[in-house]
Amino acid sequence: NLRCMGEAAGVPVEPKEQMDLADATMKVPGVIAAGVPGAGGYDALFVLYMKGIATGGGDGASSDEVRDTIGELWRNWSVTKDEDPKKGGGVSTVCPLAVRAAGSGGVHGLCETDLGW
């Protein structure tokens, strides 16, 4: 597993702080997967989820209840890390940046396609 590999190498490939948030996100109904992309770095988390019942999203934008629940969880997530500034000490703040899959030929979301390569 990536966390063990990172610990053995002394590199936070899957930092505990990020995995705690990913684990909490996985408990949201509709979430399929959540994890740390790439090689950690405390800067990103991905989530794949099934679209829920449509909502206004609070800002008039099109949204859904699963996405809103994830955003609320992340906005309220706070973790106090080691106070050593060399280790990114202090309080972590999570800012959700939601993106959607682009449509292709009238199909939206994940779809199988032949790229013709």
Side-chain angles (χ1 to χ4, degrees):
N1 104 16
L2 288 176
R3 188 179 299 169
C4 291
M5 181 178 70
E7 288 170 359
V11 178
V13 175
E14 262 189 355
K16 181 181 180 330
E17 296 87 350
Q18 282 180 285
M19 288 311 300
D20 288 347
L21 178 54
D23 291 344
T25 303
M26 285 292 298
K27 293 178 183 175
V28 173
V31 171
I32 299 167
V36 178
Y42 298 96
D43 60 355
L45 192 74
F46 75 86
V47 179
L48 297 176
Y49 71 93
M50 296 295 294
K51 187 174 181 177
I53 296 170
T55 67
D59 61 1
S62 174
S63 191
D64 67 82
E65 60 185 18
V66 178
R67 180 178 172 176
D68 293 347
T69 302
I70 295 166
E72 189 68 20
L73 171 68
W74 288 18
R75 280 188 292 277
N76 291 309
W77 190 263
S78 180
V79 121
T80 302
K81 297 192 301 186
D82 186 323
E83 293 301 325
D84 181 349
K86 293 179 191 171
K87 296 180 181 176
V91 175
S92 293
T93 302
V94 179
C95 301
L97 174 61
V99 295
R100 289 193 173 99
S104 174
V107 178
H108 296 281
L110 300 175
C111 60
E112 182 178 344
T113 184
D114 179 3
L115 298 176
W117 293 352

